[in-house]
Amino acid sequence: MSVSNVGCGLRGLIALTLVLFPLAALAAPGIPAFSSTPGAGGATNYTFSIEALLLLTALTFLPAALLMMTSFTRIVIVLSLLRQAMGTMQAPPNQVIVGLSLFLTFFIMAPVFDKIYETAWKPYSDNQISLVVAADRGVQPLKSFMLKQTRQEDLALFIRLAKVPPLAGPEDTPLKVLVPAFVISELKTAFQIGFIVFIPFLIIDMVVASVLMSMGMMMLSPMLVSLPFKIMLFVLADGWGLLISSLVQTFQI
């Protein structure tokens, strides 16, 4: 991923904070965060504006938005299932899995973040549109991405549970319905991919266990013996390249 893509992705993620949370619209530009008034006896009273407080509160939801409204969920679950299938315990460690998932998320979501930046954040920063208009424009690329990954049955389930009136089209789906449907679909897809990842390693475990039983080595753990073979198979087959490329291609941008 080029430096320009990373920069646009980060700028788009910043714009995402303004797009996703209506509370941020209350923080009108030009309102100071702090104000001071003279008090009795030469003292000074400081006041923190409620608009800035609401904006900072909205920013605390950014990690949840990154986890639940992007490709992060599918990637981190598949990588975790891969580690479990190989039986390598804590290798790679959780920090590596989360870090790799995060940067793969920026790589996959870069086109979406670019659209948010160009259509919402850049005009807003140039004072061409208001924050409300920027939020309306910026949420459309994100909704389009989530709709492409969401199964129709999952979307219909939450529309029925929320008792939403008939919609003119999928693009009119509210975020309160789209986000949980998107997360459920991502979980289903991640576990389907994890099942496929498990099969070759399961076959190796079964072969090793059968050989050990036929040799009468009942006290020797099959997992301990099969681990080097699974690592060798994964490395020789260029497992990381195949898994990452296949995983990225499962997303419809």
Side-chain angles (χ1 to χ4, degrees), residues 35-83:
S35 61
S36 61
T37 56
T44 303
N45 298 323
Y46 295 95
T47 303
F48 190 73
S49 70
I50 187 64
E51 291 86 358
L53 178 62
L54 290 175
L55 176 60
L56 292 178
T57 303
L59 291 178
T60 61
F61 291 94
L62 181 59
L66 178 63
L67 293 177
M68 297 289 101
M69 303 179 70
T70 64
S71 57
F72 182 87
T73 300
R74 183 188 305 184
I75 297 172
V76 73
I77 291 178
V78 170
L79 294 181
S80 299
L81 291 176
L82 170 66
R83 183 178 64 181

Side-chain angles (χ1 to χ4, degrees), residues 68-75 108-109 111-112 141-155 170 178-190 192-193 246-253:
M68 297 289 101
M69 303 179 70
T70 64
S71 57
F72 182 87
T73 300
R74 183 188 305 184
I75 297 172
I108 295 172
M109 299 295 296
V112 179
L142 192 62
K143 290 178 65 175
S144 177
F145 170 79
M146 290 190 291
L147 283 171
K148 291 179 181 178
Q149 324 304 323
T150 305
R151 292 177 171 84
Q152 293 184 359
E153 57 269 22
D154 294 329
L155 188 60
L178 179 57
V179 172
F182 169 74
V183 174
I184 294 300
S185 293
E186 287 294 282
L187 291 175
K188 290 182 180 179
T189 303
Q192 288 176 353
I193 299 175
S246 302
L247 189 57
V248 172
Q249 292 175 9
T250 59
F251 291 94
Q252 303 179 25
I253 306 298

Side-chain angles (χ1 to χ4, degrees), residues 59-231:
L59 291 178
T60 61
F61 291 94
L62 181 59
L66 178 63
L67 293 177
M68 297 289 101
M69 303 179 70
T70 64
S71 57
F72 182 87
T73 300
R74 183 188 305 184
I75 297 172
V76 73
I77 291 178
V78 170
L79 294 181
S80 299
L81 291 176
L82 170 66
R83 183 178 64 181
Q84 186 175 355
M86 294 184 64
T88 54
M89 302 299 289
Q90 295 298 320
N94 292 330
Q95 294 85 345
V96 174
I97 290 180
V98 173
L100 178 59
S101 302
L102 184 61
F103 280 96
L104 284 176
T105 299
F106 281 121
F107 178 81
I108 295 172
M109 299 295 296
V112 179
F113 289 155
D114 288 342
K115 291 180 181 179
I116 296 175
Y117 175 76
E118 293 294 335
T119 61
W121 176 254
K122 188 175 180 180
Y124 171 73
S125 62
D126 294 336
N127 295 323
Q128 297 178 359
I129 58 176
S130 66
L131 184 60
V132 176
V133 176
D136 183 64
R137 289 185 182 181
V139 77
Q140 298 306 321
L142 192 62
K143 290 178 65 175
S144 177
F145 170 79
M146 290 190 291
L147 283 171
K148 291 179 181 178
Q149 324 304 323
T150 305
R151 292 177 171 84
Q152 293 184 359
E153 57 269 22
D154 294 329
L155 188 60
L157 170 64
F158 283 94
I159 290 177
R160 185 174 68 256
L161 292 176
K163 299 180 180 179
V164 177
L167 303 174
E171 63 278 357
D172 296 329
T173 305
L175 285 177
K176 69 176 183 179
V177 173
L178 179 57
V179 172
F182 169 74
V183 174
I184 294 300
S185 293
E186 287 294 282
L187 291 175
K188 290 182 180 179
T189 303
F191 278 98
Q192 288 176 353
I193 299 175
F195 171 77
I196 298 175
V197 170
F198 254 91
I199 291 179
F201 300 109
L202 180 61
I203 293 175
I204 294 178
D205 287 334
M206 293 176 61
V207 171
V208 172
S210 300
V211 172
L212 292 178
M213 290 184 63
S214 64
M215 297 177 63
M217 298 180 179
M218 306 296 296
M219 302 301 295
L220 186 60
S221 174
M223 296 293 295
L224 182 63
V225 178
S226 64
L227 179 58
F229 293 98
K230 290 190 287 187
I231 293 177

